[in-house]
Structure formats: C-alpha cells, structure tokens
Amino acid sequence: MTKTARAFTNIALIKYWGKKDQELKLPYTNSLSLTLDRFYTDTSSEIIDSNKDVISLNDTLLNEEESKRIVKYLDSTREKYDFSEHFKINSVNHVPTSAGFASSASGFAALAASIDQTMALNLDKSQLSILARRGSGSASRSIYGGFVEWIAGDNNDNSFAVPIDENPDIDLEVLSAVINKKAKKISSTVGMEKSVETSPFYPNWVKLVASETNEIKQAIEQKDIQKIGEIAEHNAMSMHALTLSAKPSFTYFEPETVEIIHLIQELRQKGILAYVTIDAGPNVKILGTHKSIEQVKSYLNNLSDVTTVVANIGHGIQYF
Ligand code: DP6
C-alpha cells in the first residue's frame, strides 16, 4: 500500500537560527511561522522487499550521495521505532513554474507524515512534528496550517510545534520575489552553526526572539498587519546581522536582494503596507495585504531577473 502525504512550506516570521543540540535539532529559541498555500511537497512511501531504500525526487531516482540525508533520517526513524523494513519513497515538489525553490520544511513534513502511515505508527500531531523536526527543524511547523509556533523545548519529546491559529481571518498575503540566479550556497544548517559559534551578537538574538515572539503573538491576535510586518522584518534583519557579524562574515544577500529591500522601504514611504523577510538564500518574501501586495507586484515586475509568486495562508498536513 502506498501512502501519500502533502505538506505546505512555511515562512518564519520569527526565525529559527541556531541549535543547542545538532543531532536532535533542538533550537536555542522558539520560532513562529505562517504556512503558505503555493509551495508544497507530495511524498509517497511504501515498503519494499530490499535491504536498501529507493529514493526519488520529482520522479527521478537519486544516487547514493543524493539520498544520504534521507536514508540517514529513515535509519534513525527505523531505530527509534524498532522497524526493520526498507522504503520506496517518491517526493514531488510543487512550486509554481520558474519559482525554482524547494523547501526542506515541506519536504521533511511530508516525508514524516507519509512514513508515519506506512509504518502504521499512528502518531499524534505533536509526535509527527517531532518526527518532522528530526529531518529539518523548520519542518516541525509545516504539520499545521496558518500561524504556528515551534516551542524550543530541551529534549526530544518536548520540542515540537503548536498551532496558534490554523484558519486566521486576516487580510495577509505573502509575495515571493525569486531571484533567478544561482548563488553560492551555505546551507541553513551550516550558516546557523557558524552564527552560533562566532557571532558576538548571538546571546542578544536569543533575548530578542523571546520578546519579539510575545509581541508578534499579540499583533496576530489583534490582526495588526503593520505590527506583524514590522516585527517580522526586524527579526529577519537581526538574523542576517548574525551572518554579517560571524567570523568570517558571510551573507545570503545578492545585489537584487538589497535592491528589493530598498524598493520596499521606498514603497512604505509612499504609504504602501509592505514588509520583507528573508531566509537562508537571496529570495525576498514580502508581507502585506491583498491590495498592497498587488501594488508591490507591479513594481517588482519591472525588475529583470526577478519572478514573483503570491501565496495565501496554507493548510496543515493532508493525506490522500
Ligand atoms: C532561515 O530548518 O532548513 O529558514 O534544521 O538545519 O535543517 P535544519 O535547518 P532549516 O532552517 C531554516 C532556517 C530559516 C528560518 C526558519 O525557517 O525558521
């Protein structure tokens, strides 16, 4: 029997950036995200009569090197649940044409949900979030839709996401400005490790996240888009300040990233409600209302090398 699960990606408004335990993927801080409806992964799994897992991505078989991270994940899951069978896995990323980015958040959330079914573990949502977290920290949040908080915890069993509001009635959209350029990549795993170890500002980041998490939760409750945007933008910039202040310093920003940050600042001065957030890459996500995002989109469409995709609020895990 093949079991297929769908998980949507999420964008952190309060970022997860740094682990106190690498192996368990326990973060130093809570983080808070919004699940999006435009970028998702469908993952199917079945048990096969073999002593090796067979992994495909977008219907293309992965070689040993490419499968390594997933096989390691499956090995640790087998060990934890005392399960000896191997799997055939196919993971298909659905990203709008030329958006060009897949996400480890939707990827590991869909994989966790699919193998939970195939292994007949019957995990509840908190346990599923823990299982997804072991693959990639941000995947812990994609179990739920809407606004989600990942509680840092201090051991494997108490570090999982909880829903804040899965179906918020709020006029909030997210525009992804995708920069069509192959940048040299420092993975988020490596980037956050370097930030923790070498940025003199890391202890301040931990304090900042605690206060901004409380503030943004109030703003979400009040449906105050301006406040949500201000906090999210400040939090993202503070995360990127950790990379700039690392030794040696590094940045995920490309020239186009900075160009878009400036453009959004100018548009705000014209009265357009828009704020940026940026993850471990050059692409920019812009938060605003339906109306302001339409306006931002028309300005961004004048830039070459930038593709835009508008997303609304997405669902939690689905099965079919
Ligand atoms: C900047 O979840 O990709 O997107 O746990 O090492 O796999 P690992 O990291 P990952 O990091 C995501 C970092 C981020 C912020 C966030 O999503 O909270």
Side-chain angles (χ1 to χ4, degrees), residues 226-294:
Q226 182 177 339
K227 199 109 171 255
I228 294 171
E230 280 171 4
I231 299 165
E233 182 171 302
H234 183 261
N235 188 266
M237 293 304 179
S238 304
M239 177 199 120
H240 288 277
L242 297 173
T243 77
L244 292 167
S245 56
K247 273 187 191 162
S249 167
F250 64 102
T251 183
Y252 291 104
F253 293 178
E254 289 291 322
E256 293 83 352
T257 314
V258 179
E259 195 181 350
I260 296 172
I261 294 171
H262 287 162
L263 173 69
I264 298 301
Q265 285 168 351
E266 278 168 33
L267 294 183
R268 272 209 298 267
Q269 276 167 5
K270 291 188 176 146
I272 297 175
L273 197 66
Y275 296 88
V276 303
T277 181
I278 302 161
D279 283 333
N283 301 323
V284 184
K285 289 181 177 93
I286 296 138
L287 307 166
T289 61
H290 177 70
K291 183 170 160 235
S292 69
I293 289 297
E294 283 303 306

Side-chain angles (χ1 to χ4, degrees), residues 76-83 119 121 123 127 130-131:
S76 80
T77 309
R78 272 187 285 262
E79 197 187 314
K80 178 166 167 57
Y81 292 103
D82 205 12
F83 191 83
M119 294 167 77
L121 297 175
L123 299 181
Q127 292 168 319
I130 292 170
L131 185 59

Side-chain angles (χ1 to χ4, degrees), residues 3 92 141 189 214 223 239 246 300:
K3 303 284 187 181
V92 180
R141 300 183 306 240
T189 308
N214 286 333
K223 302 185 199 298
M239 177 199 120
L300 284 173

Side-chain angles (χ1 to χ4, degrees), residues 10-12 14-17 19 25 31 69 104-105 133 135-139 141 150 188-190 192 239 278-280:
N10 68 76
I11 173 76
I14 303 293
K15 306 290 183 193
Y16 144 55
W17 198 247
K19 301 178 186 70
K25 296 197 196 300
S31 55
R69 183 168 175 185
S104 63
R133 187 200 85 227
S136 194
S138 53
R141 300 183 306 240
W150 171 15
S188 28
T189 308
V190 171
M192 63 177 82
M239 177 199 120
I278 302 161
D279 283 333

